[in-house]
């Protein structure tokens, strides 16, 4: 052990003894500050770390206290009082959780106050002190809010509660003096204030009440402060006389390297723990995700089975429309072997009637002007029977009502391909060409060379009759020219779905 380490150890022990004296008169803030500095000089000072945990626990910081005791137990596993503290704390885990919730509420309240939301902060602080009656900082912050709102009597009560826990808390004492000055009671004190004052500043010959902290924690120090100073000066002179500069530099470099290695080792250990926790968290997330997927799949399978049952019931009641609608919602891949057998048999029996059902549903929806539903059912009908020209044309009209020119053009092309070489196919191709020309350059439906609805004055038809009928033949306008633009205009006129032959 180097001389510097010995001096740091002695200083750490002396600070610990001073902190012990302060803890015995319930000066928790002063004790905590000295213990914190003591541990900076010697992190392995077990008595100081244990006492630091006790002080933090008395201030309501149970989580941090438990952290200090765990560190102490790791440094000295055998014969360490920290094991006793940890066991006692773990006997009442509910209370510790409640205290930690109080600390969380305090942190949220502090953030609210920093953002200017003192009202919300005050509500959180009241919950914090209910959950953690030892949380000194919460009482002090709540008193500060009360002082700002000029609620001096309530502020006094909060400050006195804080001083009963931490009798030399500097902020609490300062705020209490401010309250007394604001209320004009600088010379008069309440009974509660007298009790706290007697504890905080005992008169001559009177001892303040002490915490039940045992002196067995005191670390011996046989050197007085003056002797320590003389000893340090002598050692410094000797070092200056007998140590050479390169040796000092080498020692400094070695110490720095050792600290860097120690810090790196600590960081690596912490990173390893973080990785382990992350892996565990990822595994839990995967378990939850798998469980949710299994639950979703089971629910979907149950829904498919339910739709299959409804389809069977509708089929038995000869309600083939409902049966077809229900069986369309069945996910075949989720069925069991028995359900798959039933599904195959039922879908086979319904497939012969599916076309008629879809056509019927499409026509009914069309005449009810439910264009979207009509289009959905007619699409299914032409998919089952591609040579049904009438259903194709009715589907085109649905797209016209829906103003969906892309699907209208696509359907005209399908008709032209399906009925190629026939009069119906030629007409469908002419309609597709007219739509492509219209979308490519024309500005309206009355482009040059195409007759409009108004020109059909020769009796060939009024609005809507100059287009196509259900038999697919073409009509002519008043000038006798083929209406490449009028076919769509006539269809949109409202009567072309039942129009006359051209």
């Amino acid at each position: 052990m180097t001389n510097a380490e010995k001096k740091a150890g002695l200083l750490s022990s002396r600070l610990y003894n001073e902190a012990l004296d302060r803890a015995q008169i319930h000066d928790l803030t002063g004790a905590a500050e000295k213990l914190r500095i003591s541990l900076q000089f010697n992190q392995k000072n077990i008595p100081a770390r244990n006492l630091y945990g006790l002080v933090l626990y008395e201030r309501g910081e149970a989580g941090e206290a438990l952290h200090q005791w765990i560190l102490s137990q790791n440094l000295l596993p055998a014969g360490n009082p920290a094991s006793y503290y940890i066991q006692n704390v773990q006997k009442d885990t509910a209370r510790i959780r409640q205290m930690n919730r109080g600390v969380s509420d305090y942190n949220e309240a502090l953030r609210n106050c920093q953002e200017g939301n003192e009202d919300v902060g005050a509500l959180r602080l009241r919950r914090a002190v209910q959950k953690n009656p030892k949380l000194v900082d919460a009482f002090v912050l709540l008193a500060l809010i009360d002082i700002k709102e000029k609620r001096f009597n309530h502020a006094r009560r909060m400050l006195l509660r804080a001083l009963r826990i931490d009798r030399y808390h500097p902020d609490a004492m300062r705020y209490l003096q401010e309250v007394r000055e604001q209320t004009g009671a600088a010379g008069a004190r309440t009974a509660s204030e007298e009790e706290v004052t007697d504890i905080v500043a005992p008169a001559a010959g009177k001892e303040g009440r002490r915490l039940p902290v045992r002196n067995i924690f005191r670390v011996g120090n046989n050197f007085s402060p003056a002797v320590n100073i003389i000893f340090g000066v002598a050692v410094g002179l000797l070092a200056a006389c007998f140590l050479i500069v390169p040796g000092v530099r080498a020692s400094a470099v070695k110490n720095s390297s050792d600290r860097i290695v120690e810090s790196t080792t600590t960081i690596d250990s912490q990173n390893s723990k973080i990785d382990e926790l992350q892996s565990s968290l990822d595994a839990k997330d995967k378990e939850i995700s798998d469980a949710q997927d299994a639950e979703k799949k089971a629910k979907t399978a149950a829904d498919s089975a339910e739709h299959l049952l409804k389809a069977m019931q509708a089929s038995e009641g000869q309600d083939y429309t409902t049966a077809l609608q229900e069986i369309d919602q069945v996910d075949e891949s989720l069925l069991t072997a028995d359900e798959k057998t039933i599904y195959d048999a039922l879908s086979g029996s319904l497939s012969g009637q599916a076309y008629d059902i879809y056509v019927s549903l499409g026509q009914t929806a069309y005449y009810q002007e439910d264009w979207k539903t009509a289009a959905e059912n007619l699409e299914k009908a032409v998919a089952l029977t591609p040579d049904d020209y009438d259903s194709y044309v009715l589907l085109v009209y649905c797209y016209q009502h829906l103003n969906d020119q892309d699907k209208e053009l696509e359907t005209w092309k399908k008709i032209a391909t399906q009925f190629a070489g026939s009069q119906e196919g030629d007409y469908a191709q002419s309609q597709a060409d007219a739509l492509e020309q219209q979308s490519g350059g024309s500005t309206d439906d009355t482009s040059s060379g195409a007759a409009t609805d108004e020109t059909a004055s020769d009796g060939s038809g009024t609005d809507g009759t100059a287009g196509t009928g259900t038999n697919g033949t073409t009509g002519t306008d008043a000038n006798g020219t083929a209406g490449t633009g009028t076919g769509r205009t006539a269809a949109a006129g409202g009567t072309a779905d039942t129009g006359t032959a051209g």
Side-chain angles (χ1 to χ4, degrees):
M1 181 181 293
T2 64
N3 183 54
E5 290 175 343
K6 290 180 181 178
K7 290 178 66 176
L10 291 172
L11 186 55
S12 176
S13 298
R14 188 169 66 187
L15 288 168
Y16 162 72
N17 289 333
E18 293 176 4
L20 182 61
D21 290 335
R22 289 182 178 271
Q24 288 176 327
I25 60 172
H26 253 184
D27 181 8
L28 302 183
T29 300
E33 182 63 23
K34 288 189 175 293
L35 289 168
R36 185 180 61 80
I37 300 173
S38 172
L39 291 173
Q40 289 179 352
F41 281 106
N42 184 8
Q43 295 183 358
K44 297 181 180 180
N45 190 337
I46 302 301
R49 195 170 292 279
N50 290 342
L51 182 58
Y52 192 31
L54 288 171
V55 170
L56 291 173
Y57 188 81
E58 266 310 294
R59 286 169 52 88
E61 302 174 33
E64 184 60 26
L66 191 60
H67 173 69
Q68 295 297 328
W69 291 332
I70 291 173
L71 288 176
S72 174
Q73 190 180 38
N74 291 335
L75 293 171
L76 182 64
N80 192 337
S83 302
Y84 171 76
Y85 303 147
I86 294 172
Q87 289 175 2
N88 281 341
V89 167
Q90 290 177 343
K91 288 179 181 178
D92 193 0
T93 55
R95 182 168 179 267
I96 297 302
R97 284 198 297 269
Q98 190 78 352
M99 293 176 71
N100 288 336
R101 292 192 188 101
V103 173
S104 298
D105 286 338
Y106 166 75
N107 291 331
E108 289 294 325
L110 183 60
R111 182 177 61 81
N112 294 142
C113 292
Q114 291 171 343
E115 294 173 353
N117 299 324
E118 287 88 357
D119 293 339
V120 178
L123 292 174
R124 290 186 181 277
L125 288 170
R126 291 189 182 95
R127 289 205 302 266
V129 297
Q130 288 176 356
K131 297 173 183 176
N132 191 345
K134 288 188 175 184
L135 194 55
V136 177
D137 292 337
F139 286 114
V140 175
L141 182 56
L142 186 56
L144 184 60
I145 295 174
D146 289 333
I147 292 173
K148 182 179 179 181
E149 300 296 329
K150 301 187 183 303
R151 297 190 294 264
F152 297 114
N153 289 332
H154 189 266
R156 179 188 289 108
R157 290 198 298 272
M158 295 299 101
L159 292 171
L160 292 177
R161 290 185 66 178
L163 290 173
R164 288 191 185 98
I165 300 169
D166 187 358
R167 293 167 186 165
Y168 285 90
H169 194 289
D171 292 336
M173 296 176 67
R174 186 169 70 252
Y175 297 156
L176 182 59
Q177 180 63 26
E178 176 70 18
V179 169
R180 295 179 67 247
E181 291 176 356
Q182 292 293 333
T183 56
R189 299 177 180 176
T190 64
S192 298
E193 287 186 63
E194 291 293 345
E195 178 187 355
V196 174
T197 304
D198 289 340
I199 295 170
V200 173
K206 180 189 288 186
E207 293 186 1
R209 287 182 287 179
R210 296 175 178 269
L211 273 177
V213 179
R214 296 178 293 178
N215 288 331
I216 61 171
F217 292 115
R218 185 173 297 279
V219 177
N221 187 352
N222 296 324
F223 297 95
S224 65
V227 174
N228 282 334
I229 294 173
I230 296 172
F231 178 78
V233 172
V235 171
L237 292 174
L238 290 173
C241 293
F242 296 104
L243 297 179
I244 60 176
V245 174
V248 174
R249 289 179 178 175
S251 177
V253 170
K254 183 179 182 301
N255 291 336
S256 298
S257 300
D258 292 341
R259 286 174 183 155
I260 291 173
V261 171
E262 183 180 356
S263 299
T264 303
T265 303
T266 303
I267 291 172
D268 290 341
S269 176
Q270 294 297 327
N271 288 338
S272 177
K273 291 181 180 178
I274 291 172
D275 291 340
E276 291 176 2
L277 291 173
Q278 186 63 45
S279 298
S280 177
L281 183 61
D282 292 341
K284 292 293 184 184
D285 289 341
K286 187 176 184 307
E287 290 179 6
I288 294 173
S289 178
D290 291 344
Q292 290 175 344
D293 290 343
E295 182 181 358
K296 183 177 180 180
K297 186 175 181 180
K299 184 178 184 301
T300 306
D303 291 342
S304 293
E306 183 179 356
H307 287 305
L308 180 60
L309 178 60
K310 290 180 179 179
M312 291 174 57
Q313 293 172 345
S315 178
E316 290 173 357
Q318 296 185 352
D319 184 1
Y320 299 112
T321 301
T322 303
L324 197 59
Q325 291 173 344
E326 292 294 336
I327 206 165
D328 281 343
Q329 300 182 59
V330 175
D331 188 345
E332 183 180 353
S333 63
L334 300 176
L335 298 177
T336 63
D338 294 338
E339 291 172 343
K340 181 68 167 57
T341 302
I342 298 172
Y343 172 81
D344 291 340
L346 184 59
S347 60
S349 65
L350 290 174
S351 61
Q353 304 175 22
Y355 168 74
D356 294 335
I357 293 172
Y358 286 136
V359 170
S360 175
L361 291 174
Q363 291 177 349
T364 301
Y366 183 87
Y367 293 117
Q368 292 176 351
E369 298 185 359
D370 185 357
W371 318 119
K372 183 177 179 181
T373 302
E376 291 174 353
N377 285 281
L378 290 171
E379 286 171 355
K380 296 176 182 179
V382 297
L384 292 173
T385 308
D387 59 351
D388 183 0
Y389 178 79
D390 291 343
S391 295
Y392 263 122
V393 173
L394 199 60
L395 180 59
V396 169
Y397 297 156
C398 290
Y399 291 144
Q400 291 175 358
H401 285 295
L402 293 170
N403 293 320
D404 192 342
Q405 291 190 8
D406 292 337
K407 287 191 175 181
E408 180 185 353
L409 176 60
E410 179 184 353
T411 307
W412 280 125
K413 288 183 176 180
K414 286 182 180 179
I415 297 173
T417 302
Q418 183 67 32
F419 298 93
S422 65
Q423 189 176 10
E424 291 87 347
D426 295 340
Y427 176 74
Q429 186 61 51
S430 67
Q431 294 299 311
D433 294 340
L435 274 179
E436 288 180 335
Q437 291 175 2
Q438 180 182 4
S439 60
S442 62
T443 58
D444 53 41
D445 289 340
T446 59
S447 57
S448 62
T452 62
D453 293 335
E454 287 77 2
T455 61
S457 59
D458 60 348
S460 59
T462 58
D463 183 22
T465 61
T468 63
T470 57
N471 61 358
T473 59
T474 58
T476 58
D477 58 14
N479 296 321
T481 59
T484 58
T486 60
R488 184 171 182 274
T489 305
T495 60
D497 45 42
T498 57
T500 60

